[in-house]
Amino acid sequence: MSPLCRWRGWGAHFVAAVVAIDCPSAVAVAAAQARRTRAMREALGRAGEDEGEKKQAATLEAWLGELEADATTLVVGEHGVEYKAELLRALGGVKASASLLGVPLGHNSSFLQGPAFAPPRIREAIWCGSTNSSTEEGKELNDPRVLTDVGDVPIQEIRDCGVEDDRLMHVISESVKAVMEEEPLRPLVLGGDHSISYPVVRAVSEKLGGPVDILHLDAHPDIYDCFEGNNYSHASSFARIMEGGYARRLLQVGLRSITKEGRDQGKRFGVEQYEMRTFSKDQEKLENLKLGEGVKGVYVSVDVDCLDPAFAPGVSHIEPGGLSFRDVLNILQNLQGDVVAADVVEFNPQRDTVDGMTAMVAAKLVRELTAKISK
């Protein structure tokens, strides 16, 4: 078996294990593979004039090149996606089903990288025995016609093998497309920091064949041209989205930490920015939004720090004066439009309360977004 075939097999094993969450063997396999690949790269740097060393270095470089060129195949176990979609089609009566896809990426955060640990904690909270599996309008999450789960993209393990951000973004986009390829699945993405929204929205727009309208709830506009020298920073994701023409309208709600550049960039891209200092005036409008007409649908991106820290302390950037949880639910539940995909990002388990309060908040957001997507 070739090294690449072994790698592909490991990727499928890791994703399957992540779905189960508690599988230390998968973590060990991932760590071992990452160490092995780093050792290969170090060996390349040490290769001397000996012909044997040169030959070995060339072999290793070819293997790494093949891995990077084929990195987009390391997506969420496409056979699992196909199986779940076939099940829903067999059950019948399903136009759209929310499908959880974890993207545990945190290195593009400008402060703390804890959001990389969020997807398993959100899943755990979704199925916590302290609550039930119903949405507020009565949809049952344990019905696969409402919600499925295709696991996580092994993004950190790919990165540990030296794959750069351009290709990492491509891997995320291809993973989202792999989900969308299988009707009636629609991606509900668990971040991760907010940098993941760019490749996800790009994939949704490209797959549907045109721009979407975006409802973005956040304390920050995340629209810097290039934050701290990083084009893929979580603070620049919506600049990349707008530059790419992937959104027709972008509505940003909950803003209360916005600089002059954030406002200037908003004007440059025609963004509709709603700041918390005027929320009482804007509230009625925001709770009766109608989006998506004339485009390919609506994308919803919820940064957990849109909420006041009294409701969600487990975030990297604590910003007082935010939305209440019911404010957010009123905006989401009353939204008129076909929600084709969504994400919940920037939950940081490392800053959460001991009893996992913010994890439960993120899980509730996922639950209610599921209700908007599934039909």
Side-chain angles (χ1 to χ4, degrees):
M1 183 183 291
S2 72
L4 185 58
C5 289
R6 287 197 295 273
W7 172 267
R8 285 173 173 160
W10 166 79
H13 170 70
F14 180 82
V15 172
V18 167
V19 178
I21 297 175
D22 294 317
C23 185
S25 62
V27 177
V29 171
Q33 183 65 36
R35 287 194 298 270
R36 177 176 176 233
T37 309
R38 282 196 296 270
M40 287 181 174
R41 287 201 176 278
E42 291 170 3
L44 291 176
R46 292 195 303 267
E49 296 301 318
D50 181 83
E51 288 302 317
E53 288 182 341
K54 285 183 178 180
K55 185 175 181 181
Q56 183 184 35
T59 301
L60 293 176
E61 186 59 48
W63 184 86
L64 289 167
E66 187 180 1
L67 165 63
E68 293 179 4
D70 206 38
T72 56
T73 65
L74 296 180
V75 298
V76 294
E78 291 181 58
H79 293 298
V81 175
E82 292 170 4
Y83 168 77
K84 288 173 182 178
E86 287 173 5
L87 171 63
L88 297 184
R89 290 192 290 265
L91 290 171
V94 189
K95 293 182 179 179
S97 173
S99 189
L100 297 182
L101 171 65
V103 183
L105 184 150
H107 69 274
N108 283 321
S109 175
S110 60
F111 182 43
L112 301 173
Q113 299 188 4
F117 302 103
R121 299 286 73 81
I122 296 174
R123 286 189 176 94
E124 183 179 54
I126 289 171
W127 304 112
C128 178
S130 71
T131 185
N132 58 54
S133 60
S134 295
T135 70
E136 289 195 354
E137 68 176 67
K139 293 183 178 179
E140 293 290 338
L141 298 193
N142 53 18
D143 183 343
R145 293 169 295 184
V146 174
L147 180 68
T148 58
D149 191 337
V150 296
D152 288 2
V153 182
I155 202 73
Q156 292 296 343
E157 289 67 37
I158 300 172
R159 182 171 180 257
D160 281 346
C161 293
V163 178
E164 301 297 332
D165 266 3
D166 284 345
R167 185 160 291 280
L168 287 177
M169 296 295 135
H170 183 67
V171 170
I172 295 169
S173 291
E174 291 303 303
S175 300
V176 171
K177 289 178 182 179
V179 175
M180 296 181 69
E181 187 70 29
E182 297 295 332
E183 292 287 346
L185 302 183
R186 292 186 176 185
L188 204 176
V189 179
L190 309 178
D193 67 44
H194 221 150
S195 68
I196 70 168
S197 292
Y198 164 56
V200 176
V201 171
R202 177 176 66 182
V204 170
S205 175
E206 290 178 348
K207 190 65 181 173
L208 296 178
V212 294
D213 285 345
I214 299 178
L215 173 60
H216 168 207
L217 291 90
D218 201 328
H220 318 85
D222 293 349
I223 203 165
Y224 284 98
D225 181 58
C226 180
F227 191 72
E228 297 180 342
N230 182 3
N231 284 325
Y232 294 120
S233 169
H234 69 159
S236 300
S237 50
F238 287 90
R240 304 289 84 78
I241 288 168
M242 299 308 287
E243 285 172 351
Y246 303 121
R248 178 189 64 175
R249 293 179 67 187
L250 171 58
L251 285 75
Q252 298 185 318
V253 180
L255 303 179
R256 57 196 186 277
S257 179
I258 179 170
T259 64
K260 181 180 183 299
E261 182 178 351
R263 292 189 177 94
D264 289 345
Q265 284 280 90
K267 292 175 183 176
R268 173 190 172 194
F269 293 118
V271 180
E272 300 163 57
Q273 294 180 327
Y274 296 91
E275 299 185 38
M276 284 307 299
R277 61 192 175 91
T278 61
F279 180 71
S280 59
K281 181 185 71 175
D282 301 326
Q283 186 170 5
E284 183 177 355
K285 177 181 179 180
L286 294 173
E287 291 182 357
N288 293 278
L289 292 172
K290 190 173 184 178
L291 301 174
E293 289 187 343
V295 289
K296 298 299 181 178
V298 181
Y299 186 94
V300 179
S301 180
V302 182
D303 185 322
V304 177
D305 72 22
C306 72
L307 292 158
D308 189 272
F311 300 93
V315 296
S316 298
H317 300 269
I318 293 173
E319 198 66 49
L323 296 161
S324 75
F325 194 79
R326 184 51 57 181
D327 290 334
V328 171
L329 288 194
N330 286 343
I331 292 169
L332 295 178
Q333 290 173 343
N334 294 330
L335 172 64
Q336 298 178 58
D338 183 21
V339 179
V340 294
D343 65 55
V344 175
V345 297
E346 295 289 354
F347 162 46
N348 184 346
Q350 295 177 330
R351 303 196 84 182
D352 203 1
T353 58
V354 174
D355 59 356
M357 172 181 171
T358 315
M360 295 301 291
V361 167
K364 176 83 168 182
L365 289 169
V366 169
R367 184 177 287 117
E368 296 307 312
L369 284 168
T370 297
K372 293 299 294 185
I373 292 172
S374 62
K375 59 184 74 172

